[in-house]
Amino acid sequence: MMLSIFGFSKALFLLVLIIVLIIRHNILLMNTMNNITESNRHMPGNLVWLNMIPIFNIFWIIIFNSALNKSIEAEIKHKQINFRFLGITG
């Protein structure tokens, strides 16, 4: 009896931890997108929260990350940032 209660509490703790980490990751992605100049932004940052929809998130994370990648590249070109000294070429 006691083992099943402890097993349930561990599973619940793990579930809450995973949800907190997903929320923090989404906040990071949203802040990154929102810090990009609006003219270079391919998508509003708030749309990252669509990742919380089950099944839909499998496709949406790919779409959002692709838009984030294009936005960051556009921002780098717009601000003429040279990253060649870091080994990053563009």
PDB file of all heavy atoms in Angstrom, residues 29-30 32-48 50-51 59-76:
ATOM      1  N   LEU A  29      11.911  30.537 -25.834  1.00  0.00           N
ATOM      2  CA  LEU A  29      11.670  30.687 -27.271  1.00  0.00           C
ATOM      3  C   LEU A  29      10.869  31.952 -27.567  1.00  0.00           C
ATOM      4  O   LEU A  29      11.170  32.676 -28.522  1.00  0.00           O
ATOM      5  CB  LEU A  29      10.936  29.457 -27.813  1.00  0.00           C
ATOM      6  CG  LEU A  29      11.713  28.152 -27.854  1.00  0.00           C
ATOM      7  CD1 LEU A  29      10.808  27.023 -28.314  1.00  0.00           C
ATOM      8  CD2 LEU A  29      12.930  28.265 -28.742  1.00  0.00           C
ATOM      9  N   MET A  30       9.854  32.228 -26.752  1.00  0.00           N
ATOM     10  CA  MET A  30       9.033  33.414 -26.952  1.00  0.00           C
ATOM     11  C   MET A  30       9.859  34.684 -26.783  1.00  0.00           C
ATOM     12  O   MET A  30       9.774  35.608 -27.604  1.00  0.00           O
ATOM     13  CB  MET A  30       7.864  33.420 -25.969  1.00  0.00           C
ATOM     14  CG  MET A  30       6.936  34.619 -26.119  1.00  0.00           C
ATOM     15  SD  MET A  30       5.602  34.621 -24.913  1.00  0.00           S
ATOM     16  CE  MET A  30       6.506  34.939 -23.403  1.00  0.00           C
ATOM     17  N   THR A  32      13.083  35.018 -27.111  1.00  0.00           N
ATOM     18  CA  THR A  32      14.044  35.111 -28.211  1.00  0.00           C
ATOM     19  C   THR A  32      13.368  35.696 -29.447  1.00  0.00           C
ATOM     20  O   THR A  32      13.913  36.609 -30.087  1.00  0.00           O
ATOM     21  CB  THR A  32      14.634  33.724 -28.539  1.00  0.00           C
ATOM     22  OG1 THR A  32      15.250  33.195 -27.367  1.00  0.00           O
ATOM     23  CG2 THR A  32      15.648  33.810 -29.647  1.00  0.00           C
ATOM     24  N   MET A  33      12.197  35.188 -29.776  1.00  0.00           N
ATOM     25  CA  MET A  33      11.486  35.689 -30.961  1.00  0.00           C
ATOM     26  C   MET A  33      11.058  37.136 -30.761  1.00  0.00           C
ATOM     27  O   MET A  33      11.165  37.950 -31.682  1.00  0.00           O
ATOM     28  CB  MET A  33      10.267  34.813 -31.254  1.00  0.00           C
ATOM     29  CG  MET A  33       9.535  35.191 -32.524  1.00  0.00           C
ATOM     30  SD  MET A  33      10.455  34.915 -34.030  1.00  0.00           S
ATOM     31  CE  MET A  33       9.950  33.260 -34.437  1.00  0.00           C
ATOM     32  N   ASN A  34      10.610  37.501 -29.575  1.00  0.00           N
ATOM     33  CA  ASN A  34      10.145  38.862 -29.333  1.00  0.00           C
ATOM     34  C   ASN A  34      11.284  39.875 -29.295  1.00  0.00           C
ATOM     35  O   ASN A  34      11.051  41.063 -29.492  1.00  0.00           O
ATOM     36  CB  ASN A  34       9.335  38.936 -28.038  1.00  0.00           C
ATOM     37  CG  ASN A  34       7.975  38.289 -28.185  1.00  0.00           C
ATOM     38  OD1 ASN A  34       7.455  38.141 -29.287  1.00  0.00           O
ATOM     39  ND2 ASN A  34       7.406  37.875 -27.079  1.00  0.00           N
ATOM     40  N   ASN A  35      12.525  39.424 -29.036  1.00  0.00           N
ATOM     41  CA  ASN A  35      13.665  40.334 -29.020  1.00  0.00           C
ATOM     42  C   ASN A  35      14.199  40.638 -30.422  1.00  0.00           C
ATOM     43  O   ASN A  35      15.050  41.504 -30.576  1.00  0.00           O
ATOM     44  CB  ASN A  35      14.794  39.786 -28.147  1.00  0.00           C
ATOM     45  CG  ASN A  35      14.495  39.959 -26.682  1.00  0.00           C
ATOM     46  OD1 ASN A  35      13.817  40.900 -26.285  1.00  0.00           O
ATOM     47  ND2 ASN A  35      14.982  39.039 -25.878  1.00  0.00           N
ATOM     48  N   ILE A  36      13.694  39.941 -31.404  1.00  0.00           N
ATOM     49  CA  ILE A  36      14.094  40.195 -32.791  1.00  0.00           C
ATOM     50  C   ILE A  36      13.267  41.359 -33.321  1.00  0.00           C
ATOM     51  O   ILE A  36      12.081  41.490 -33.022  1.00  0.00           O
ATOM     52  CB  ILE A  36      13.885  38.925 -33.636  1.00  0.00           C
ATOM     53  CG1 ILE A  36      14.829  37.823 -33.142  1.00  0.00           C
ATOM     54  CG2 ILE A  36      14.085  39.202 -35.114  1.00  0.00           C
ATOM     55  CD1 ILE A  36      14.614  36.490 -33.776  1.00  0.00           C
ATOM     56  N   THR A  37      13.910  42.219 -34.103  1.00  0.00           N
ATOM     57  CA  THR A  37      13.221  43.358 -34.699  1.00  0.00           C
ATOM     58  C   THR A  37      11.988  42.874 -35.460  1.00  0.00           C
ATOM     59  O   THR A  37      12.039  41.872 -36.161  1.00  0.00           O
ATOM     60  CB  THR A  37      14.170  44.103 -35.673  1.00  0.00           C
ATOM     61  OG1 THR A  37      15.400  44.340 -35.006  1.00  0.00           O
ATOM     62  CG2 THR A  37      13.567  45.399 -36.150  1.00  0.00           C
ATOM     63  N   GLU A  38      10.905  43.608 -35.324  1.00  0.00           N
ATOM     64  CA  GLU A  38       9.633  43.159 -35.901  1.00  0.00           C
ATOM     65  C   GLU A  38       9.704  42.972 -37.413  1.00  0.00           C
ATOM     66  O   GLU A  38       9.058  42.095 -37.969  1.00  0.00           O
ATOM     67  CB  GLU A  38       8.520  44.136 -35.542  1.00  0.00           C
ATOM     68  CG  GLU A  38       7.162  43.560 -35.778  1.00  0.00           C
ATOM     69  CD  GLU A  38       6.070  44.271 -35.018  1.00  0.00           C
ATOM     70  OE1 GLU A  38       6.352  44.922 -34.012  1.00  0.00           O
ATOM     71  OE2 GLU A  38       4.922  44.154 -35.467  1.00  0.00           O
ATOM     72  N   SER A  39      10.504  43.778 -38.080  1.00  0.00           N
ATOM     73  CA  SER A  39      10.620  43.636 -39.539  1.00  0.00           C
ATOM     74  C   SER A  39      11.337  42.339 -39.920  1.00  0.00           C
ATOM     75  O   SER A  39      11.153  41.842 -41.035  1.00  0.00           O
ATOM     76  CB  SER A  39      11.357  44.837 -40.125  1.00  0.00           C
ATOM     77  OG  SER A  39      12.674  44.912 -39.600  1.00  0.00           O
ATOM     78  N   ASN A  40      12.149  41.795 -39.025  1.00  0.00           N
ATOM     79  CA  ASN A  40      12.870  40.553 -39.305  1.00  0.00           C
ATOM     80  C   ASN A  40      12.162  39.324 -38.738  1.00  0.00           C
ATOM     81  O   ASN A  40      12.573  38.206 -39.012  1.00  0.00           O
ATOM     82  CB  ASN A  40      14.279  40.613 -38.705  1.00  0.00           C
ATOM     83  CG  ASN A  40      15.119  41.662 -39.371  1.00  0.00           C
ATOM     84  OD1 ASN A  40      14.978  41.922 -40.556  1.00  0.00           O
ATOM     85  ND2 ASN A  40      15.985  42.286 -38.610  1.00  0.00           N
ATOM     86  N   ARG A  41      11.110  39.528 -37.985  1.00  0.00           N
ATOM     87  CA  ARG A  41      10.385  38.438 -37.330  1.00  0.00           C
ATOM     88  C   ARG A  41       9.454  37.768 -38.326  1.00  0.00           C
ATOM     89  O   ARG A  41       8.649  38.413 -38.970  1.00  0.00           O
ATOM     90  CB  ARG A  41       9.586  39.024 -36.166  1.00  0.00           C
ATOM     91  CG  ARG A  41       9.341  38.078 -35.054  1.00  0.00           C
ATOM     92  CD  ARG A  41       8.571  38.715 -33.933  1.00  0.00           C
ATOM     93  NE  ARG A  41       9.297  39.838 -33.344  1.00  0.00           N
ATOM     94  CZ  ARG A  41       8.733  40.790 -32.636  1.00  0.00           C
ATOM     95  NH1 ARG A  41       7.426  40.776 -32.429  1.00  0.00           N
ATOM     96  NH2 ARG A  41       9.452  41.756 -32.133  1.00  0.00           N
ATOM     97  N   HIS A  42       9.559  36.455 -38.446  1.00  0.00           N
ATOM     98  CA  HIS A  42       8.708  35.715 -39.383  1.00  0.00           C
ATOM     99  C   HIS A  42       7.400  35.250 -38.753  1.00  0.00           C
ATOM    100  O   HIS A  42       6.521  34.757 -39.465  1.00  0.00           O
ATOM    101  CB  HIS A  42       9.463  34.498 -39.936  1.00  0.00           C
ATOM    102  CG  HIS A  42      10.549  34.862 -40.888  1.00  0.00           C
ATOM    103  ND1 HIS A  42      10.364  34.939 -42.237  1.00  0.00           N
ATOM    104  CD2 HIS A  42      11.836  35.224 -40.679  1.00  0.00           C
ATOM    105  CE1 HIS A  42      11.477  35.296 -42.828  1.00  0.00           C
ATOM    106  NE2 HIS A  42      12.403  35.483 -41.897  1.00  0.00           N
ATOM    107  N   MET A  43       7.286  35.406 -37.440  1.00  0.00           N
ATOM    108  CA  MET A  43       6.104  34.928 -36.723  1.00  0.00           C
ATOM    109  C   MET A  43       6.095  35.577 -35.339  1.00  0.00           C
ATOM    110  O   MET A  43       7.155  35.774 -34.763  1.00  0.00           O
ATOM    111  CB  MET A  43       6.218  33.401 -36.604  1.00  0.00           C
ATOM    112  CG  MET A  43       5.173  32.722 -35.830  1.00  0.00           C
ATOM    113  SD  MET A  43       5.474  30.923 -35.763  1.00  0.00           S
ATOM    114  CE  MET A  43       5.462  30.478 -37.474  1.00  0.00           C
ATOM    115  N   PRO A  44       4.922  35.917 -34.812  1.00  0.00           N
ATOM    116  CA  PRO A  44       4.890  36.465 -33.453  1.00  0.00           C
ATOM    117  C   PRO A  44       5.370  35.441 -32.424  1.00  0.00           C
ATOM    118  O   PRO A  44       5.109  34.246 -32.549  1.00  0.00           O
ATOM    119  CB  PRO A  44       3.409  36.792 -33.232  1.00  0.00           C
ATOM    120  CG  PRO A  44       2.797  36.819 -34.581  1.00  0.00           C
ATOM    121  CD  PRO A  44       3.612  35.922 -35.441  1.00  0.00           C
ATOM    122  N   GLY A  45       6.065  35.911 -31.418  1.00  0.00           N
ATOM    123  CA  GLY A  45       6.610  35.020 -30.399  1.00  0.00           C
ATOM    124  C   GLY A  45       5.559  34.311 -29.571  1.00  0.00           C
ATOM    125  O   GLY A  45       5.791  33.216 -29.058  1.00  0.00           O
ATOM    126  N   ASN A  46       4.397  34.923 -29.428  1.00  0.00           N
ATOM    127  CA  ASN A  46       3.343  34.316 -28.600  1.00  0.00           C
ATOM    128  C   ASN A  46       2.784  33.026 -29.187  1.00  0.00           C
ATOM    129  O   ASN A  46       2.147  32.258 -28.478  1.00  0.00           O
ATOM    130  CB  ASN A  46       2.205  35.309 -28.382  1.00  0.00           C
ATOM    131  CG  ASN A  46       2.645  36.476 -27.533  1.00  0.00           C
ATOM    132  OD1 ASN A  46       3.592  36.364 -26.755  1.00  0.00           O
ATOM    133  ND2 ASN A  46       1.974  37.594 -27.676  1.00  0.00           N
ATOM    134  N   LEU A  47       3.036  32.782 -30.461  1.00  0.00           N
ATOM    135  CA  LEU A  47       2.523  31.563 -31.079  1.00  0.00           C
ATOM    136  C   LEU A  47       3.247  30.308 -30.597  1.00  0.00           C
ATOM    137  O   LEU A  47       2.829  29.196 -30.886  1.00  0.00           O
ATOM    138  CB  LEU A  47       2.613  31.661 -32.607  1.00  0.00           C
ATOM    139  CG  LEU A  47       1.663  32.671 -33.248  1.00  0.00           C
ATOM    140  CD1 LEU A  47       1.839  32.694 -34.752  1.00  0.00           C
ATOM    141  CD2 LEU A  47       0.221  32.351 -32.892  1.00  0.00           C
ATOM    142  N   VAL A  48       4.341  30.486 -29.843  1.00  0.00           N
ATOM    143  CA  VAL A  48       5.044  29.328 -29.309  1.00  0.00           C
ATOM    144  C   VAL A  48       4.158  28.525 -28.363  1.00  0.00           C
ATOM    145  O   VAL A  48       4.341  27.321 -28.200  1.00  0.00           O
ATOM    146  CB  VAL A  48       6.357  29.752 -28.607  1.00  0.00           C
ATOM    147  CG1 VAL A  48       6.078  30.429 -27.294  1.00  0.00           C
ATOM    148  CG2 VAL A  48       7.263  28.556 -28.384  1.00  0.00           C
ATOM    149  N   LEU A  50       1.351  27.419 -28.789  1.00  0.00           N
ATOM    150  CA  LEU A  50       0.621  26.348 -29.470  1.00  0.00           C
ATOM    151  C   LEU A  50       1.316  25.003 -29.275  1.00  0.00           C
ATOM    152  O   LEU A  50       0.736  23.957 -29.545  1.00  0.00           O
ATOM    153  CB  LEU A  50       0.479  26.673 -30.962  1.00  0.00           C
ATOM    154  CG  LEU A  50      -0.405  27.879 -31.286  1.00  0.00           C
ATOM    155  CD1 LEU A  50      -0.373  28.171 -32.776  1.00  0.00           C
ATOM    156  CD2 LEU A  50      -1.833  27.638 -30.823  1.00  0.00           C
ATOM    157  N   ASN A  51       2.560  25.043 -28.794  1.00  0.00           N
ATOM    158  CA  ASN A  51       3.277  23.803 -28.475  1.00  0.00           C
ATOM    159  C   ASN A  51       2.617  23.041 -27.339  1.00  0.00           C
ATOM    160  O   ASN A  51       2.924  21.858 -27.139  1.00  0.00           O
ATOM    161  CB  ASN A  51       4.725  24.096 -28.067  1.00  0.00           C
ATOM    162  CG  ASN A  51       5.585  24.442 -29.239  1.00  0.00           C
ATOM    163  OD1 ASN A  51       5.329  24.015 -30.354  1.00  0.00           O
ATOM    164  ND2 ASN A  51       6.611  25.219 -28.997  1.00  0.00           N
ATOM    165  N   PHE A  59       4.002  18.876 -34.947  1.00  0.00           N
ATOM    166  CA  PHE A  59       4.248  19.607 -36.189  1.00  0.00           C
ATOM    167  C   PHE A  59       4.608  21.070 -35.919  1.00  0.00           C
ATOM    168  O   PHE A  59       5.422  21.656 -36.620  1.00  0.00           O
ATOM    169  CB  PHE A  59       3.013  19.536 -37.097  1.00  0.00           C
ATOM    170  CG  PHE A  59       2.556  18.131 -37.334  1.00  0.00           C
ATOM    171  CD1 PHE A  59       1.439  17.629 -36.693  1.00  0.00           C
ATOM    172  CD2 PHE A  59       3.262  17.297 -38.182  1.00  0.00           C
ATOM    173  CE1 PHE A  59       1.027  16.324 -36.898  1.00  0.00           C
ATOM    174  CE2 PHE A  59       2.863  16.001 -38.398  1.00  0.00           C
ATOM    175  CZ  PHE A  59       1.739  15.512 -37.759  1.00  0.00           C
ATOM    176  N   TRP A  60       3.988  21.640 -34.903  1.00  0.00           N
ATOM    177  CA  TRP A  60       4.154  23.073 -34.655  1.00  0.00           C
ATOM    178  C   TRP A  60       5.566  23.432 -34.223  1.00  0.00           C
ATOM    179  O   TRP A  60       6.086  24.479 -34.609  1.00  0.00           O
ATOM    180  CB  TRP A  60       3.144  23.580 -33.635  1.00  0.00           C
ATOM    181  CG  TRP A  60       3.240  25.057 -33.489  1.00  0.00           C
ATOM    182  CD1 TRP A  60       3.718  25.758 -32.435  1.00  0.00           C
ATOM    183  CD2 TRP A  60       2.894  26.029 -34.472  1.00  0.00           C
ATOM    184  NE1 TRP A  60       3.677  27.101 -32.693  1.00  0.00           N
ATOM    185  CE2 TRP A  60       3.181  27.289 -33.935  1.00  0.00           C
ATOM    186  CE3 TRP A  60       2.371  25.951 -35.758  1.00  0.00           C
ATOM    187  CZ2 TRP A  60       2.958  28.463 -34.641  1.00  0.00           C
ATOM    188  CZ3 TRP A  60       2.149  27.114 -36.454  1.00  0.00           C
ATOM    189  CH2 TRP A  60       2.442  28.351 -35.891  1.00  0.00           C
ATOM    190  N   ILE A  61       6.209  22.587 -33.443  1.00  0.00           N
ATOM    191  CA  ILE A  61       7.563  22.899 -32.980  1.00  0.00           C
ATOM    192  C   ILE A  61       8.516  23.001 -34.171  1.00  0.00           C
ATOM    193  O   ILE A  61       9.424  23.833 -34.175  1.00  0.00           O
ATOM    194  CB  ILE A  61       8.060  21.876 -31.927  1.00  0.00           C
ATOM    195  CG1 ILE A  61       9.335  22.365 -31.247  1.00  0.00           C
ATOM    196  CG2 ILE A  61       8.297  20.517 -32.530  1.00  0.00           C
ATOM    197  CD1 ILE A  61       9.148  23.528 -30.351  1.00  0.00           C
ATOM    198  N   ILE A  62       8.304  22.196 -35.193  1.00  0.00           N
ATOM    199  CA  ILE A  62       9.137  22.264 -36.397  1.00  0.00           C
ATOM    200  C   ILE A  62       8.885  23.575 -37.133  1.00  0.00           C
ATOM    201  O   ILE A  62       9.832  24.256 -37.556  1.00  0.00           O
ATOM    202  CB  ILE A  62       8.860  21.053 -37.307  1.00  0.00           C
ATOM    203  CG1 ILE A  62       9.257  19.762 -36.588  1.00  0.00           C
ATOM    204  CG2 ILE A  62       9.591  21.193 -38.641  1.00  0.00           C
ATOM    205  CD1 ILE A  62       8.778  18.505 -37.273  1.00  0.00           C
ATOM    206  N   ILE A  63       7.630  23.956 -37.267  1.00  0.00           N
ATOM    207  CA  ILE A  63       7.279  25.197 -37.964  1.00  0.00           C
ATOM    208  C   ILE A  63       7.809  26.399 -37.200  1.00  0.00           C
ATOM    209  O   ILE A  63       8.408  27.307 -37.787  1.00  0.00           O
ATOM    210  CB  ILE A  63       5.743  25.283 -38.144  1.00  0.00           C
ATOM    211  CG1 ILE A  63       5.270  24.177 -39.083  1.00  0.00           C
ATOM    212  CG2 ILE A  63       5.333  26.656 -38.655  1.00  0.00           C
ATOM    213  CD1 ILE A  63       3.777  23.988 -39.110  1.00  0.00           C
ATOM    214  N   PHE A  64       7.622  26.413 -35.889  1.00  0.00           N
ATOM    215  CA  PHE A  64       8.069  27.558 -35.090  1.00  0.00           C
ATOM    216  C   PHE A  64       9.583  27.676 -35.088  1.00  0.00           C
ATOM    217  O   PHE A  64      10.132  28.766 -35.242  1.00  0.00           O
ATOM    218  CB  PHE A  64       7.546  27.472 -33.648  1.00  0.00           C
ATOM    219  CG  PHE A  64       7.842  28.708 -32.857  1.00  0.00           C
ATOM    220  CD1 PHE A  64       6.993  29.796 -32.932  1.00  0.00           C
ATOM    221  CD2 PHE A  64       8.975  28.800 -32.069  1.00  0.00           C
ATOM    222  CE1 PHE A  64       7.261  30.955 -32.227  1.00  0.00           C
ATOM    223  CE2 PHE A  64       9.259  29.947 -31.358  1.00  0.00           C
ATOM    224  CZ  PHE A  64       8.401  31.035 -31.438  1.00  0.00           C
ATOM    225  N   ASN A  65      10.287  26.559 -34.911  1.00  0.00           N
ATOM    226  CA  ASN A  65      11.742  26.611 -34.890  1.00  0.00           C
ATOM    227  C   ASN A  65      12.318  27.017 -36.236  1.00  0.00           C
ATOM    228  O   ASN A  65      13.343  27.690 -36.300  1.00  0.00           O
ATOM    229  CB  ASN A  65      12.332  25.276 -34.438  1.00  0.00           C
ATOM    230  CG  ASN A  65      12.195  25.083 -32.953  1.00  0.00           C
ATOM    231  OD1 ASN A  65      11.983  26.024 -32.201  1.00  0.00           O
ATOM    232  ND2 ASN A  65      12.297  23.846 -32.513  1.00  0.00           N
ATOM    233  N   SER A  66      11.675  26.628 -37.308  1.00  0.00           N
ATOM    234  CA  SER A  66      12.103  27.060 -38.637  1.00  0.00           C
ATOM    235  C   SER A  66      11.940  28.582 -38.786  1.00  0.00           C
ATOM    236  O   SER A  66      12.831  29.264 -39.301  1.00  0.00           O
ATOM    237  CB  SER A  66      11.293  26.333 -39.711  1.00  0.00           C
ATOM    238  OG  SER A  66      11.622  26.799 -40.979  1.00  0.00           O
ATOM    239  N   ALA A  67      10.810  29.105 -38.325  1.00  0.00           N
ATOM    240  CA  ALA A  67      10.577  30.552 -38.380  1.00  0.00           C
ATOM    241  C   ALA A  67      11.561  31.297 -37.474  1.00  0.00           C
ATOM    242  O   ALA A  67      12.056  32.371 -37.830  1.00  0.00           O
ATOM    243  CB  ALA A  67       9.146  30.884 -37.979  1.00  0.00           C
ATOM    244  N   LEU A  68      11.860  30.730 -36.316  1.00  0.00           N
ATOM    245  CA  LEU A  68      12.830  31.340 -35.409  1.00  0.00           C
ATOM    246  C   LEU A  68      14.213  31.365 -36.040  1.00  0.00           C
ATOM    247  O   LEU A  68      14.922  32.376 -35.965  1.00  0.00           O
ATOM    248  CB  LEU A  68      12.863  30.582 -34.080  1.00  0.00           C
ATOM    249  CG  LEU A  68      13.800  31.115 -33.006  1.00  0.00           C
ATOM    250  CD1 LEU A  68      13.426  32.544 -32.619  1.00  0.00           C
ATOM    251  CD2 LEU A  68      13.778  30.217 -31.790  1.00  0.00           C
ATOM    252  N   ASN A  69      14.603  30.291 -36.696  1.00  0.00           N
ATOM    253  CA  ASN A  69      15.885  30.224 -37.368  1.00  0.00           C
ATOM    254  C   ASN A  69      15.981  31.292 -38.471  1.00  0.00           C
ATOM    255  O   ASN A  69      16.979  32.018 -38.565  1.00  0.00           O
ATOM    256  CB  ASN A  69      16.095  28.835 -37.960  1.00  0.00           C
ATOM    257  CG  ASN A  69      17.426  28.687 -38.644  1.00  0.00           C
ATOM    258  OD1 ASN A  69      18.417  29.257 -38.221  1.00  0.00           O
ATOM    259  ND2 ASN A  69      17.455  27.917 -39.713  1.00  0.00           N
ATOM    260  N   LYS A  70      14.943  31.411 -39.298  1.00  0.00           N
ATOM    261  CA  LYS A  70      14.938  32.417 -40.362  1.00  0.00           C
ATOM    262  C   LYS A  70      14.962  33.830 -39.785  1.00  0.00           C
ATOM    263  O   LYS A  70      15.613  34.723 -40.328  1.00  0.00           O
ATOM    264  CB  LYS A  70      13.711  32.234 -41.249  1.00  0.00           C
ATOM    265  CG  LYS A  70      13.755  30.981 -42.083  1.00  0.00           C
ATOM    266  CD  LYS A  70      12.470  30.796 -42.858  1.00  0.00           C
ATOM    267  CE  LYS A  70      12.447  29.462 -43.570  1.00  0.00           C
ATOM    268  NZ  LYS A  70      11.142  29.218 -44.210  1.00  0.00           N
ATOM    269  N   SER A  71      14.268  34.026 -38.677  1.00  0.00           N
ATOM    270  CA  SER A  71      14.230  35.346 -38.039  1.00  0.00           C
ATOM    271  C   SER A  71      15.602  35.726 -37.488  1.00  0.00           C
ATOM    272  O   SER A  71      16.045  36.872 -37.643  1.00  0.00           O
ATOM    273  CB  SER A  71      13.202  35.367 -36.916  1.00  0.00           C
ATOM    274  OG  SER A  71      11.918  35.084 -37.403  1.00  0.00           O
ATOM    275  N   ILE A  72      16.274  34.786 -36.852  1.00  0.00           N
ATOM    276  CA  ILE A  72      17.606  35.065 -36.310  1.00  0.00           C
ATOM    277  C   ILE A  72      18.587  35.355 -37.439  1.00  0.00           C
ATOM    278  O   ILE A  72      19.397  36.284 -37.351  1.00  0.00           O
ATOM    279  CB  ILE A  72      18.088  33.899 -35.422  1.00  0.00           C
ATOM    280  CG1 ILE A  72      17.249  33.849 -34.146  1.00  0.00           C
ATOM    281  CG2 ILE A  72      19.570  34.031 -35.091  1.00  0.00           C
ATOM    282  CD1 ILE A  72      17.517  32.634 -33.276  1.00  0.00           C
ATOM    283  N   GLU A  73      18.512  34.578 -38.517  1.00  0.00           N
ATOM    284  CA  GLU A  73      19.392  34.833 -39.664  1.00  0.00           C
ATOM    285  C   GLU A  73      19.135  36.212 -40.257  1.00  0.00           C
ATOM    286  O   GLU A  73      20.073  36.930 -40.607  1.00  0.00           O
ATOM    287  CB  GLU A  73      19.201  33.754 -40.726  1.00  0.00           C
ATOM    288  CG  GLU A  73      19.791  32.421 -40.359  1.00  0.00           C
ATOM    289  CD  GLU A  73      19.528  31.350 -41.399  1.00  0.00           C
ATOM    290  OE1 GLU A  73      18.761  31.599 -42.357  1.00  0.00           O
ATOM    291  OE2 GLU A  73      20.097  30.257 -41.260  1.00  0.00           O
ATOM    292  N   ALA A  74      17.867  36.597 -40.385  1.00  0.00           N
ATOM    293  CA  ALA A  74      17.532  37.913 -40.918  1.00  0.00           C
ATOM    294  C   ALA A  74      18.034  39.021 -39.998  1.00  0.00           C
ATOM    295  O   ALA A  74      18.528  40.059 -40.462  1.00  0.00           O
ATOM    296  CB  ALA A  74      16.024  38.033 -41.126  1.00  0.00           C
ATOM    297  N   GLU A  75      17.932  38.807 -38.699  1.00  0.00           N
ATOM    298  CA  GLU A  75      18.400  39.799 -37.724  1.00  0.00           C
ATOM    299  C   GLU A  75      19.926  39.954 -37.800  1.00  0.00           C
ATOM    300  O   GLU A  75      20.452  41.066 -37.736  1.00  0.00           O
ATOM    301  CB  GLU A  75      17.983  39.377 -36.317  1.00  0.00           C
ATOM    302  CG  GLU A  75      18.274  40.392 -35.246  1.00  0.00           C
ATOM    303  CD  GLU A  75      17.293  41.543 -35.197  1.00  0.00           C
ATOM    304  OE1 GLU A  75      16.335  41.580 -35.996  1.00  0.00           O
ATOM    305  OE2 GLU A  75      17.485  42.431 -34.355  1.00  0.00           O
ATOM    306  N   ILE A  76      20.628  38.844 -37.958  1.00  0.00           N
ATOM    307  CA  ILE A  76      22.085  38.891 -38.076  1.00  0.00           C
ATOM    308  C   ILE A  76      22.494  39.653 -39.329  1.00  0.00           C
ATOM    309  O   ILE A  76      23.401  40.490 -39.295  1.00  0.00           O
ATOM    310  CB  ILE A  76      22.674  37.463 -38.067  1.00  0.00           C
ATOM    311  CG1 ILE A  76      22.571  36.871 -36.656  1.00  0.00           C
ATOM    312  CG2 ILE A  76      24.121  37.445 -38.549  1.00  0.00           C
ATOM    313  CD1 ILE A  76      22.917  35.401 -36.578  1.00  0.00           C
TER     314      ILE A  76
END
